[in-house]
Amino acid sequence: MRTKFFAATLSFAFLSGCTTMVQQVTYGSYEKSILSGQVDLATDAAIAKADVNAETGKAEDLLWSLEAGALLRFSKKYDESTGFFDDAEALMKQEDTEHLGSEALDGASSLLVNDSVADYEQAHYDGIMANTYKALNFMFNGDNSNARVEWNRVDDRQRRAAEDFAEKIAKLKEEIRAENEKEDNDQYREVTNQSISHVEELVASQGIDFSEWKAYGNYVNPFSTYMHGLFFMLNAQGSGDFSKAYDSMRRVASMTGNSTAKSDMVLADNLYRGRTSLKKMKPTVWVVFENGLGPKKDELRIDLPVFLASDNVSYSGMALPKLVEREQAFPTLSINDTETRILSEMDRVVQAEFKAEFPYILTREVTRTVLKTIAQKQLNDKDPMMGLAGAIAQMATTGADLRIWYSLPKDFQLAKLNKPKNGALTITAPGMESPLNVQLDPKARFSIVYVRAVSPTVTPSIDVVNI
Amino acid sequence: MKMKVLAGVMISATLLSGCATKTYYVDQMTGQATKQETVAGLNYRDFSDAASQMVQSMLNNPRLRHKDADKGAVNILVVSNIINDTTQRIDTDQLTKKIRIDLLNSGQFITTTAVGLNGAEDEMSQRVRELKSSKLVNQATVKGNNTVIAPDYSLSGKIIQRNFTLSDDKQEINYYLQMTMTHLETGLAFWEGEVPIVKQGDGRSVSW
């Protein structure tokens, strides 16, 4: 009996466990493909993992659909990219409106193992960026009607995110206040609270200082808001659109201080007030630079943080996700002597959301660790062999959820210049192997040149919107 | 004992899972949700009802009546730009087609398909005139020049959406279907109409 139990525990541990290693291997090779310029390989991997249902033709894995959608843009497969983002949005909706029952079961199974076995629950910035990329896809395809719909979706998601964060922060404050007022002597709660305080100290000792992570106002993603404004300004169909553009530009200018955003805010206001018109404006080029790769997650493993009043456990530990910053591709781009400047950092958007979620991640992990450790102790009290099996299972199932949208950029940069008479742009950057040449459509009054670079060694992709 | 607790959790989870929030129309007088179920987006009924209301309003407007209507004269209409400024992917023809049909059936308007903001809706009026050089075609049957009729009115519009979060995980979705009939000779908006549609539904996710 004991042998069977031991064997069963071991196989369970190996099957369900080592989740961290599996995640690290998967993401490791995916990241390597992107950074080495094998974007096609990474795209194929993402599409395979997006789990497209042969009957419905719809992707069923949310996170990998986002990856596939993002990478397909490199090869200018805009329709396919939009298809994956559409599927991702449908899955997000499913996740949002998931029946409380399945959510509870999802929670229960993740409590037994770790967060990575639960369905991926999208971050707000995932949804906002999915709609942003779709809007850009439609713009690159010259489909402004559908681009407008996506920009409106971006706006609605930003509104929802701001409300959700405000609610979350208020709720957390209330929970802390209520917790402080409790005076009961529930041993389990005491152990959990003690462990949480201890882990918070440990997290801080690892150099992870959340206090430096500050959200942009109302948790807005300024890049999406800026592009929303630029779209409505240059494709305005009535003064209402100029008003929308001004509103977006004003928000971005005050959040980021970016000089182009400031000048576009003034321009949108002048257009709205009829002081100028698109026809009177000099032909202009906006260069948007999507730079490097945003944060990824790594595991922060902490051993024996639980203050159980017993020595009868062989292992106890917990694993938390931590954000690891990645590199810019280039510090800046020069376009015919005009330099791009940082508009906003995706890093900061991701960090702010992670910081807001972290108390929940921490509480879940501490609760899980305490429960697993108590179970292990109880097994050990009955039979030390079974206790050992429990310890092995606990060790194997302890793992952080490292899932994150891997192919998002580190930052977004911006430049604005008068359209050269010959329509020729030369883009250079420190560390760029050879300059990029762009020939603009002579008929276009306005152009948006969109440059995406993942690393200094990979040739950037360029898309142009002619207006 | 433990099994009992687990079973209890499972049963409550199953019971809770039945409580999905549906979408209902909101009574615009009271601001309260009605019992009429709908979808968060705009559906056939929304377009059909809005088109009927608008056409009724157009037909009741004496300015839109042709001065020689008694002699059987009709206004020629061209459909201009209908901006979809919502979060839904909408084919705006769903709205304009119904309006065109109702206006045609009223006997007061005929829509031209030979002219359009982005080219003709039906390019055939132009293409058949290219048969002038065809040896195959009986030239007496080829349509001549100077026969296509220019429009008198242009129908343009916009569909706007605004969402608001309510308490209890609900949201209110407001749509405004706005249309304008421009008298092309004077450039004046002879008729304007707006039909608001208000819905209340699940606020846990986006409305599209």
Side-chain angles (χ1 to χ4, degrees):
Chain A
M1 175 63 198
R2 268 176 49 180
T3 324
K4 269 187 186 171
F5 176 77
F6 192 69
T9 313
L10 271 180
S11 39
F12 166 73
F14 282 109
L15 282 175
S16 64
C18 311
T19 45
T20 310
M21 208 203 294
V22 172
Q23 292 181 85
Q24 280 166 342
V25 168
T26 307
Y27 283 128
S29 66
Y30 180 63
E31 184 185 25
K32 204 172 157 189
S33 300
I34 296 173
L35 289 175
S36 63
Q38 293 175 295
V39 177
D40 287 348
L41 199 69
T43 310
D44 289 345
I47 292 173
K49 287 187 183 299
D51 196 13
V52 179
N53 183 311
E55 276 182 27
T56 62
K58 307 266 185 208
E60 293 183 347
D61 185 288
L62 169 50
L63 193 52
W64 286 102
S65 300
L66 294 174
E67 298 286 359
L71 292 191
L72 281 161
R73 300 169 66 241
F74 280 85
S75 44
K76 308 200 187 303
K77 290 176 180 162
Y78 307 123
D79 292 340
E80 271 184 72
S81 162
T82 299
F84 276 102
F85 285 131
D86 278 344
D87 293 347
E89 273 212 288
L91 292 163
M92 287 181 199
K93 182 146 196 163
Q94 210 172 299
E95 188 62 37
D96 284 338
T97 55
E98 192 177 46
H99 287 170
L100 292 171
S102 36
E103 218 169 68
L105 289 179
D106 216 7
S109 63
S110 75
L111 205 56
L112 287 174
V113 186
N114 59 50
D115 273 357
S116 73
V117 299
D119 285 341
Y120 176 73
E121 207 169 314
Q122 71 275 5
H124 281 290
Y125 64 78
D126 287 339
I128 292 162
M129 285 308 294
N131 288 120
T132 301
Y133 283 150
K134 268 200 284 180
L136 291 169
N137 284 346
F138 284 123
M139 284 171 76
F140 298 147
N141 264 343
D143 181 351
N144 282 346
S145 302
N146 276 314
R148 176 181 283 266
V149 168
E150 295 300 332
W151 288 123
N152 286 338
R153 290 183 179 188
V154 166
D155 202 31
D156 198 52
R157 280 196 189 275
Q158 300 255 41
R159 176 189 65 83
R160 293 179 62 86
E163 288 176 359
D164 191 45
F165 284 118
E167 198 181 319
K168 241 181 207 153
I169 289 162
K171 205 171 148 189
L172 194 65
K173 276 185 187 160
E174 177 55 27
E175 276 169 11
I176 291 168
R177 193 192 59 80
E179 196 59 39
N180 289 341
E181 281 177 7
K182 275 181 192 158
E183 284 180 6
D184 56 26
N185 290 320
D186 181 332
Q187 195 202 349
Y188 163 72
R189 196 199 325 275
E190 206 178 298
V191 167
T192 307
N193 287 344
Q194 222 176 331
S195 302
I196 289 175
S197 318
H198 182 66
V199 172
E200 278 172 341
E201 282 167 25
L202 279 170
V203 167
S205 74
Q206 294 286 315
I208 300 167
D209 183 6
F210 289 157
S211 65
E212 284 178 14
W213 291 356
K214 287 201 171 58
Y216 289 104
N218 276 337
Y219 288 84
V220 157
N221 176 344
F223 168 71
S224 299
T225 303
Y226 174 80
M227 292 307 290
H228 171 275
L230 190 59
F231 171 82
F232 282 105
M233 185 169 81
L234 298 181
N235 296 286
Q237 293 187 296
S239 65
D241 286 348
F242 288 131
S243 166
K244 270 190 185 186
Y246 169 70
D247 197 41
S248 291
M249 295 302 187
R250 185 179 50 80
R251 284 159 70 192
V252 177
S254 71
M255 271 186 278
T256 66
N258 179 278
S259 54
T260 302
K262 278 184 189 168
S263 100
D264 286 341
M265 173 190 78
V266 174
L267 180 58
D269 191 38
N270 286 337
L271 287 162
Y272 175 63
R273 292 174 195 277
R275 292 180 191 138
T276 186
S277 68
L278 291 173
K279 279 182 188 164
K280 283 184 196 160
M281 276 170 59
K282 280 184 186 167
T284 310
V285 183
W286 281 262
V287 178
V288 180
F289 174 32
E290 200 179 313
N291 191 10
L293 291 175
K296 61 178 179 180
K297 281 182 184 168
D298 210 345
E299 186 177 80
L300 174 63
R301 211 174 171 98
I302 301 162
D303 289 322
L304 284 171
V306 181
F307 301 91
L308 284 173
S310 166
D311 295 331
N312 293 344
V313 287
S314 311
Y315 171 81
S316 181
M318 62 175 68
L320 291 163
K322 64 175 181 182
L323 289 182
V324 179
E325 285 190 25
R326 288 185 286 175
E327 299 298 316
Q328 283 182 322
F330 305 107
T332 180
L333 292 184
S334 294
I335 310 102
N336 298 3
D337 299 331
T338 302
E339 285 211 339
T340 56
R341 290 191 178 174
I342 288 193
L343 170 68
S344 68
E345 291 169 339
M346 197 66 218
D347 275 4
R348 192 169 150 188
V349 173
V350 176
Q351 286 164 350
E353 192 156 345
F354 183 75
K355 182 180 171 181
E357 281 297 327
F358 195 75
Y360 298 96
I361 298 171
L362 179 61
T363 309
R364 273 202 305 275
E365 183 63 1
V366 170
T367 308
R368 193 161 28 224
T369 306
V370 170
L371 285 176
K372 282 178 184 175
T373 312
I374 289 172
Q376 192 198 137
K377 180 189 168 294
Q378 285 174 347
L379 284 173
N380 196 68
D381 288 348
K382 280 186 191 163
D383 181 338
M385 198 61 181
M386 283 164 80
L388 182 63
I392 293 168
Q394 188 171 346
M395 195 188 294
T397 56
T398 298
D401 183 3
L402 304 182
R403 292 173 297 179
I404 190 169
W405 188 347
Y406 247 65
S407 50
L408 285 175
K410 183 176 180 66
D411 61 54
F412 295 98
Q413 303 193 8
L414 193 59
K416 185 163 82 165
L417 55 149
N418 290 332
K419 183 178 174 181
K421 284 200 174 119
N422 62 3
L425 299 181
T426 304
I427 302 174
T428 55
M432 188 184 278
E433 283 172 4
S434 48
L436 305 165
N437 295 308
V438 181
Q439 190 60 47
L440 300 170
D441 182 347
K443 288 180 201 154
R445 277 186 75 72
F446 308 118
S447 301
I448 300 171
V449 177
Y450 197 97
V451 184
R452 172 74 175 111
V454 287
S455 88
T457 53
V458 180
T459 309
S461 72
I462 296 178
D463 297 282
V464 181
V465 182
N466 292 306
I467 299 157
Chain B
M1 181 58 196
K2 276 181 187 164
M3 284 305 285
K4 269 188 188 171
V5 174
L6 188 63
V9 170
M10 300 278 277
I11 290 166
S12 2
T14 316
L15 288 176
L16 282 170
S17 68
C19 311
T21 313
K22 290 175 179 171
T23 305
Y24 297 94
Y25 284 107
V26 168
D27 182 326
Q28 290 169 37
M29 296 297 283
T30 64
Q32 301 298 313
T34 64
K35 286 180 180 169
Q36 268 183 304
E37 217 178 295
T38 178
V39 292
L42 289 168
N43 63 8
Y44 168 78
R45 189 192 145 173
D46 296 325
F47 286 122
S48 175
D49 287 357
S52 298
Q53 276 186 53
M54 286 183 176
V55 169
Q56 206 49 55
S57 165
M58 287 175 199
L59 296 179
N60 287 339
N61 185 331
R63 277 207 186 89
L64 293 188
R65 196 171 158 78
H66 197 288
K67 63 178 171 45
D68 294 326
D70 297 341
K71 296 173 197 161
V74 293
N75 292 311
I76 306 302
L77 177 72
V78 64
V79 176
S80 175
N81 198 12
I82 312 288
I83 302 165
N84 169 20
D85 203 15
T86 71
T87 62
Q88 325 280 340
R89 285 186 195 151
I90 296 168
D91 181 353
T92 52
D93 283 353
Q94 285 177 279
L95 179 64
T96 52
K97 199 66 177 177
K98 170 85 173 139
I99 292 176
R100 283 167 62 163
I101 293 167
D102 288 359
L103 286 176
L104 182 67
N105 290 342
S106 75
Q108 291 195 34
F109 285 87
I110 294 177
T111 304
T112 174
T113 62
V115 184
L117 212 54
N118 300 309
E121 180 183 322
D122 185 348
E123 289 176 7
M124 205 48 86
S125 301
Q126 173 78 37
R127 295 287 289 277
V128 291
R129 281 159 173 84
E130 291 166 12
L131 297 172
K132 274 176 193 161
S133 53
S134 169
K135 287 179 184 167
L136 189 73
V137 176
N138 177 349
Q139 289 298 308
T141 64
V142 175
K143 307 302 169 207
N145 288 330
N146 206 22
T147 57
V148 170
I149 301 172
D152 304 306
Y153 287 92
S154 163
L155 182 70
S156 59
K158 193 170 186 180
I159 308 173
I160 299 171
Q161 180 182 357
R162 295 281 178 271
N163 290 355
F164 305 96
T165 304
L166 306 173
S167 55
D168 302 334
D169 274 341
K170 284 185 185 144
Q171 65 179 324
E172 188 173 286
I173 308 153
N174 296 358
Y175 295 102
Y176 306 87
L177 282 68
Q178 304 172 331
M179 303 225 82
T180 301
M181 189 78 98
T182 302
H183 182 240
L184 292 171
E185 194 175 351
T186 59
L188 300 174
F190 269 27
W191 173 91
E192 289 187 282
E194 180 181 79
V195 176
I197 297 169
V198 185
K199 304 181 178 196
Q200 193 184 98
D202 197 338
R204 288 175 299 160
S205 192
V206 292
S207 60
W208 53 92

